[in-house]
Amino acid sequence: MTRRLAQVAKKVGVSEATVSRVLNNKPGVSESTRQAVLSALDVLGYERPTQLRGERARLVGLVLPELQNPIFPAFAEVIGGSLAQQGLTPVLCTQTKGGVSEADYVDLLLQQQVSGVVFAGGLYAQADAPHEHYKLLAARNIPVVLVNAAIEHLGFPAVSCDDAVAVEQAWRHLVSLGHERIGLVLGPADHMPSQRKLAAARALADAAGAPLTDERVARAMFSLEGGQAAATRLLESGVTGIVCASDPLALGAVRAARRRGLDVPRDVSVVGFDDSAFMNCTEPPLTTVRQPIEAMGRAAVEILALQIAGSAAPSEELLFEPELVVRGSTAQAARG
């Protein structure tokens, strides 16, 4: 019991005495704190006291495209914790290949009468994907927040990492190390964050008087294997620096270099994107551009809570500044 009190108190940010008052249905606790404690019980997997089980917590769908990429569990942890502090209970919806689709999850969430939905990565970022389920949510006036760049005209509030700044940081870092032949490994052509990254890279290359040619842009599915295949094509074109649209893609690029007998970073420098878990433990430790996951996740929940409370959410996309984290996968360009 003491361990449960401590865990719930830490999750919500209140004293153990406050948690105890809620669990014993005692007065002296605000309604928002009371709901936050009850939601924290749900999130941590504890059963509510018998006298409180009839009060169903407000549910919020948290829809993720996968859990294999460590960036998505990281977003889930921040967003889930922030929802609990708002007295909201997250319902985790993770897509699997050949399993439940994003549209199926939306149907299930609507059946559960959720108070809102947060999408952290998904079909809203792909121009050629089906989007009818988003229109269904809008028609039902369900509060929705999107994390990272979306296609135009969906009409939902969005919280995004600034892709243009991310590429600029990575690109200028490689240029400062003497790299002149820089390539990009991006997601599919209809993927909005990848489109933004490509536009930023082209602008930088044009400004330097050395336009980015198509042979230095490779596209892949977001996986280590995809990164390896795409980077292999770039290495054949003679690049010495590679900027990748995710950390798994960057790890694939490192593998591609090694398969060709090249050393990272002596022969090829590689930059990732996300700074997801364990990127400081790879060999070499990965230079990457860090998404401000904590700030973005909390902002997404704040915007969702505003909508749930009936207030207007910001209509413009909120752009968050990334941060270049220099480690061991980048070095001075080899001369020769």
Side-chain angles (χ1 to χ4, degrees), residues 174-192:
L174 291 177
V175 169
S176 75
L177 294 172
H179 292 275
E180 297 175 354
R181 300 188 303 278
I182 301 172
L184 293 176
V185 176
L186 302 173
D190 69 332
H191 184 246
M192 296 309 296

Side-chain angles (χ1 to χ4, degrees), residues 141-158:
N141 291 317
I142 304 293
V144 171
V145 180
L146 309 176
V147 177
N148 279 324
I151 63 168
E152 291 184 4
H153 310 308
L154 280 181
F156 296 129

Side-chain angles (χ1 to χ4, degrees), residues 193-224:
S194 293
Q195 287 186 16
R196 291 183 177 185
K197 289 181 173 73
L198 178 57
R202 288 201 188 282
L204 287 164
D206 289 346
L212 183 64
T213 59
D214 289 343
E215 69 175 2
R216 292 186 186 168
V217 179
R219 300 191 177 278
M221 300 306 293
F222 283 98
S223 66
L224 192 148

Side-chain angles (χ1 to χ4, degrees), residues 7 47 62 84 131-132 167 239 262 265 314 325:
Q7 283 188 311
E47 283 194 14
L62 174 51
H131 300 122
E132 287 75 15
V167 163
V239 303
L262 302 173
V325 181

Side-chain angles (χ1 to χ4, degrees), residues 57-75:
R58 293 178 295 167
L59 303 176
V60 168
L62 174 51
V63 184
L64 304 171
E66 57 164 316
L67 290 178
Q68 288 184 318
N69 184 341
I71 195 67
F72 294 116
F75 268 122

Side-chain angles (χ1 to χ4, degrees), residues 43-312:
V43 171
L44 293 169
Y46 293 123
E47 283 194 14
R48 297 184 180 202
T50 306
Q51 70 271 22
L52 299 176
R53 285 179 195 167
E55 296 188 25
R56 186 175 174 189
R58 293 178 295 167
L59 303 176
V60 168
L62 174 51
V63 184
L64 304 171
E66 57 164 316
L67 290 178
Q68 288 184 318
N69 184 341
I71 195 67
F72 294 116
F75 268 122
E77 183 177 5
V78 172
I79 293 169
S82 298
L83 287 168
Q85 289 179 345
Q86 295 276 359
L88 299 163
T89 300
V91 179
L92 185 62
C93 304
T94 307
Q95 296 167 67
T96 54
K97 289 179 181 176
V100 182
S101 71
E102 198 175 275
D104 291 335
Y105 272 128
V106 167
D107 287 338
L108 290 169
L109 291 171
L110 288 172
Q111 290 172 27
Q112 293 296 315
Q113 298 180 312
V114 292
S115 298
V117 185
V118 178
F119 291 89
L123 299 180
Y124 61 84
Q126 297 173 236
D128 298 336
H131 300 122
E132 287 75 15
H133 52 292
Y134 298 115
K135 295 172 186 173
L136 183 59
L137 288 166
R140 299 276 186 91
N141 291 317
I142 304 293
V144 171
V145 180
L146 309 176
V147 177
N148 279 324
I151 63 168
E152 291 184 4
H153 310 308
L154 280 181
F156 296 129
V159 169
S160 301
C161 184
D162 195 322
D163 292 298
V165 172
V167 163
E168 184 174 347
Q169 290 176 349
W171 193 277
R172 293 193 188 286
H173 172 60
L174 291 177
V175 169
S176 75
L177 294 172
H179 292 275
E180 297 175 354
R181 300 188 303 278
I182 301 172
L184 293 176
V185 176
L186 302 173
D190 69 332
H191 184 246
M192 296 309 296
S194 293
Q195 287 186 16
R196 291 183 177 185
K197 289 181 173 73
L198 178 57
R202 288 201 188 282
L204 287 164
D206 289 346
L212 183 64
T213 59
D214 289 343
E215 69 175 2
R216 292 186 186 168
V217 179
R219 300 191 177 278
M221 300 306 293
F222 283 98
S223 66
L224 192 148
E225 293 77 14
Q228 180 181 344
T232 297
R233 296 195 296 274
L234 292 181
L235 292 169
E236 288 170 355
S237 74
V239 303
T240 63
I242 302 176
V243 176
C244 300
S246 77
D247 290 339
L249 288 175
L251 296 180
V254 172
R255 183 196 280 178
R258 286 179 176 154
R259 292 283 168 86
R260 292 177 66 84
L262 302 173
D263 181 80
V264 177
R266 188 184 66 235
D267 302 315
V268 182
S269 285
V270 177
V271 184
F273 176 74
D274 285 336
D275 193 30
S276 45
F278 308 120
M279 291 306 110
N280 59 336
C281 303
T282 59
E283 181 51 46
L286 187 67
T287 295
T288 187
V289 181
R290 176 182 295 157
Q291 287 201 68
I293 297 168
E294 185 81 25
M296 290 171 63
R298 289 191 173 278
V301 172
E302 286 172 14
I303 293 170
L304 190 79
L306 273 177
Q307 295 180 82
I308 291 172
S311 302

